[in-house]
Amino acid sequence: MLALFGSLEGEETAVLKELLTVEDLKVHFPVEKGLFSRSVGPVHAVDGVSFTLMEGETLGIVGESGCGKTTTAMAILRLTEPTEGRVGFRGMDVSQMNRSELTALRKEMQIIFQDPYSSLNPRMTVHRILHDPMKIHRVYQGREGEERIAYLLEKVGLSPEQARRYPHEFSGGQRQRIGIARALVLNPQVIIGDEPVSALDVSIQAQIINLLIDLQEEFRLSYIIIAHDLALVEHICDRIAVMYLGKIVELASYKDLYTDPKHPYTQALLSAIPVADPRAARKRIILRGDVPSPMNPPSGCHFHGRCVKKMEGCDQHEPVLQDLGGGHKVACFLYGEQE
């Protein structure tokens, strides 16, 4: 976490540099129907997302299923082509890179997939799963590569002797450890975790999260963690972005977000977190209706149809993400002056 390199509120934060910059990112998928595949309109999966990731920081992205979290991650890595916007990595425009430039970038940005069962090739041994990326990128060759594989397996809590086994011989938690080792094998600077523990048992989830925190400290990694578990992101993340229907509606440090949430959607999400104490009284905010279709998003604020604090004009004008101070950003007409 960023706290390992300087508190968000401390003076050391000033020396941290921007590593990744996302500006007005949009991903629209065309929808075709009929015999002649006539276009009937796009799905606005990601609709104008902007944020930065600092060196050594962990940024969480949360929201309901279908809000665009995973598509945002795929667009950052160019596994999905963005429709508009810019993704910058250390001053380079990822959005405009050609194939050879993207191949070089793969060494710097890796991903841990959600499902540890389907993300590993069942026909490959663990050794080959870790060796192939090094072979493709021509790094850690020969004996150095063998030592690298053994070193990473030990780091993620596995034995080097297990390198000759196949994925089906491991448990779910062990498979995810293999996925983490694969993400680390090229020594990247940014790792995106697409709900990296959601498919695991609760006891194993804690082990994997603690492993990610330890690896971040040792390898000086920057994380983007996509999750729907708000307790998880509070534990591991320095800042949290809340997405709703393809847009970021609030972005703040984890302390500010959990102690003083601004957006009505964020407040509703936090009110749904289970409390360990059955005697503790808690007021649950119940949202009305369903999430609108991203193929036909509502005008104005996308959340206005479910918002308990809806005001006049919310259905006509779209709020912009504005800084309320201290890096706490919110897109809502309840706060400040909107253009």
Side-chain angles (χ1 to χ4, degrees):
M1 294 177 67
L2 190 61
L4 298 170
F5 310 112
S7 169
L8 277 169
E9 300 174 357
E11 296 179 359
E12 293 182 32
T13 314
V15 301
L16 294 176
K17 298 179 181 178
E18 289 185 1
L19 187 60
L20 184 72
T21 305
V22 179
E23 300 175 359
D24 198 26
L25 184 65
K26 297 182 181 180
V27 182
H28 297 169
F29 296 111
V31 177
E32 299 176 345
K33 286 186 178 181
L35 179 64
F36 299 102
S37 298
R38 180 174 57 90
S39 177
V40 295
V43 172
H44 298 76
V46 179
D47 204 18
V49 166
S50 299
F51 62 83
T52 59
L53 178 69
M54 310 299 288
E55 290 182 343
E57 181 184 26
T58 300
L59 175 69
I61 302 179
V62 301
E64 294 172 276
S65 296
C67 69
K69 306 185 299 293
T70 296
T71 305
T72 298
M74 295 300 178
I76 291 172
L77 296 171
R78 284 282 299 276
L79 297 177
T80 296
E81 288 296 326
T83 305
E84 293 182 27
R86 178 182 180 275
V87 177
F89 177 78
R90 290 200 178 281
M92 301 178 291
D93 190 347
V94 178
S95 311
Q96 301 300 321
M97 286 183 173
N98 57 36
R99 184 172 181 176
S100 62
E101 291 171 333
L102 273 177
T103 299
L105 181 70
R106 300 300 183 208
K107 292 189 293 184
E108 308 294 340
M109 301 170 64
Q110 289 289 310
I111 185 170
I112 302 169
F113 293 98
Q114 177 179 358
D115 188 355
Y117 294 90
S118 62
S119 62
L120 300 177
N121 191 327
R123 297 187 176 185
M124 290 186 178
T125 62
V126 172
H127 180 275
R128 186 178 173 187
I129 288 172
L130 300 182
H131 181 266
D132 276 8
M134 296 188 292
K135 180 180 179 181
I136 292 171
H137 291 273
R138 299 177 183 178
V139 295
Y140 303 111
Q141 299 182 8
R143 183 177 180 82
E144 187 182 14
E146 299 300 317
E147 293 175 350
R148 178 75 173 171
I149 292 173
Y151 171 74
L152 287 176
L153 287 177
E154 290 181 341
K155 282 296 176 184
V156 299
L158 298 174
S159 169
E161 288 73 27
Q162 294 175 303
R164 301 300 172 182
R165 297 183 183 178
Y166 289 87
H168 73 270
E169 300 180 74
F170 296 90
S171 66
Q174 289 175 321
R175 292 187 194 193
Q176 197 62 301
R177 291 175 187 271
I178 296 169
I180 293 171
R182 179 177 59 184
L184 289 171
V185 74
L186 297 176
N187 198 25
Q189 297 183 51
V190 176
I191 291 182
I192 297 177
D194 183 12
E195 303 201 28
V197 298
S198 63
L200 307 176
D201 293 338
V202 175
S203 60
I204 305 300
Q205 288 181 7
Q207 296 176 21
I208 297 299
I209 289 303
N210 289 331
L211 173 63
L212 291 174
I213 293 174
D214 293 340
L215 292 173
Q216 182 178 41
E217 180 178 6
E218 180 169 351
F219 292 95
R220 308 283 290 187
L221 298 168
S222 300
Y223 289 146
I224 296 177
I225 301 295
I226 296 168
H228 60 264
D229 186 339
L230 293 172
L232 163 66
V233 294
E234 182 183 16
H235 177 66
I236 191 175
C237 296
D238 300 298
R239 288 189 301 145
I240 300 171
V242 181
M243 285 190 67
Y244 183 80
L245 206 62
K247 295 180 178 291
I248 292 179
V249 297
E250 189 163 1
L251 175 61
S253 70
Y254 76 96
K255 289 183 180 178
D256 289 343
L257 193 83
Y258 281 84
T259 59
D260 187 23
K262 299 294 186 183
H263 199 281
Y265 178 61
T266 308
Q267 295 169 359
L269 285 181
L270 295 179
S271 75
I273 299 177
V275 180
D277 185 358
R279 296 168 297 179
R282 188 159 197 171
K283 184 179 180 181
R284 174 75 188 275
I285 300 175
I286 306 298
L287 297 179
R288 300 171 297 185
D290 298 321
V291 180
S293 169
M295 187 173 175
N296 186 28
S299 60
C301 174
H302 287 181
F303 187 61
H304 78 262
R306 307 174 71 195
C307 184
V308 297
K309 299 181 180 180
K310 175 183 174 182
M311 302 185 300
E312 183 179 355
C314 287
D315 58 346
Q316 301 175 8
H317 306 287
E318 182 178 338
V320 297
L321 196 66
Q322 58 178 339
D323 196 334
L324 303 183
H328 195 150
K329 300 180 180 180
V330 63
C332 183
F333 291 112
L334 291 171
Y335 308 96
E337 296 291 332
Q338 291 280 344
E339 296 180 359

